[in-house]
Amino acid sequence: MSKEKDSDDLMIPDGWKPPGPCTKEDNPHGMVSESAFAILFPKYREQYLQECWSVVKKDLKDMGIIAEMDVIEGTLSVKTTRKCYDPYAIIKARDIIKLLARSVPYEQARRLLEDDAACDIIKISGMVSSKARFVKRRTRLIGPDGSTLKAIELLTRCYVTVQGNTVSAIGPYKGLAEVRKITEDCMNNIHPIYNIKVSG
């Protein structure tokens, strides 16, 4: 399959909107089987996670999801309960803990609880063969004092953060597609400012 075909498949049609929220009336009996996800978090995130975890647990409990943090094992986990009526809730919960482990603040990660927001975690480490070139292009994506990243956020209406070998983005589906294109182009030596000027 050609790269152009892949790009076409990722395009968000104009006027497309995500389906409306799933309500208790749609699924009054809840989930019939348990779904669960777990992820490791780095030690430096432990203090922040402990500070915000009570809010995380409450928000997810309202969706019928149990959230747990194990500081000894360094893991975050989520699982459905019989009170969970939205099948997609566990995917949102999984993505929230993924983002929290990647230094995304919870006030941004919780946007995934809204039906018009999604996230994309872009692995950029394998896109460039040279370590020095990788660091240079990652720095270019951020820009002086974060100015390029801020311009990308304004253009795409997404929250974007660069942490280690990944770029995490939260926002509308069309904006996420733009963030991915700008990121991949940047790692392929096309300056982000070019895409910002073309799209802006």
Side-chain angles (χ1 to χ4, degrees):
M1 186 178 288
S2 68
K3 188 172 182 180
E4 289 78 9
K5 176 62 177 172
D6 288 341
S7 178
D8 289 343
D9 290 343
L10 293 173
M11 291 298 291
I12 308 299
D14 289 336
W16 180 86
K17 292 183 179 180
C22 179
T23 65
K24 288 183 180 180
E25 289 71 27
D26 295 324
N27 186 14
H29 303 295
M31 310 300 289
V32 296
S33 63
E34 181 184 289
S35 296
F37 293 99
I39 189 168
L40 295 169
F41 65 86
K43 185 69 177 176
Y44 71 85
R45 289 292 284 167
E46 183 179 319
Q47 181 179 347
Y48 176 79
L49 289 169
Q50 287 181 322
E51 290 171 357
C52 72
W53 197 246
S54 61
V55 181
V56 176
K57 286 184 71 172
K58 181 184 180 303
D59 286 347
L60 295 182
K61 184 179 179 182
D62 292 342
M63 300 170 63
I65 303 287
I66 293 175
E68 295 175 338
M69 177 171 63
D70 187 330
V71 294
I72 296 174
E73 297 292 332
T75 60
L76 304 176
S77 62
V78 289
K79 64 181 179 180
T80 57
T81 67
R82 290 300 299 270
K83 293 181 179 179
C84 180
Y85 55 84
D86 183 354
Y88 199 67
I90 188 64
I91 303 300
K92 291 181 178 182
R94 178 202 65 185
D95 289 345
I96 285 172
I97 62 173
K98 275 186 178 182
L99 292 168
L100 289 173
R102 284 174 168 80
S103 299
V104 174
Y106 184 57
E107 56 264 29
Q108 294 294 338
R110 75 188 304 176
R111 288 174 60 186
L112 293 184
L113 300 177
E114 302 166 9
D115 289 302
D116 60 347
C119 76
D120 192 6
I121 298 173
I122 308 163
K123 294 182 180 180
I124 56 175
S125 56
M127 296 182 183
V128 182
S129 57
S130 162
K131 176 70 174 177
R133 198 173 296 156
F134 167 75
V135 172
K136 184 177 180 181
R137 292 180 186 175
R138 183 181 62 184
T139 302
R140 184 185 295 167
L141 183 65
I142 298 169
D145 298 320
S147 58
T148 305
L149 210 57
K150 179 56 67 177
I152 294 170
E153 289 182 327
L154 291 171
L155 173 69
T156 62
R157 296 190 298 116
C158 293
Y159 170 83
V160 186
T161 184
V162 179
Q163 178 68 27
N165 296 323
T166 59
V167 175
S168 301
I170 306 166
Y173 293 91
K174 189 171 184 178
L176 293 175
E178 292 174 334
V179 171
R180 176 169 281 273
K181 181 181 187 307
I182 292 170
T183 300
E184 291 178 347
D185 282 353
C186 180
M187 301 313 288
N188 287 318
N189 206 26
I190 299 174
H191 202 288
I193 295 300
Y194 171 78
N195 277 308
I196 291 169
K197 285 182 178 179
V198 169
S199 302

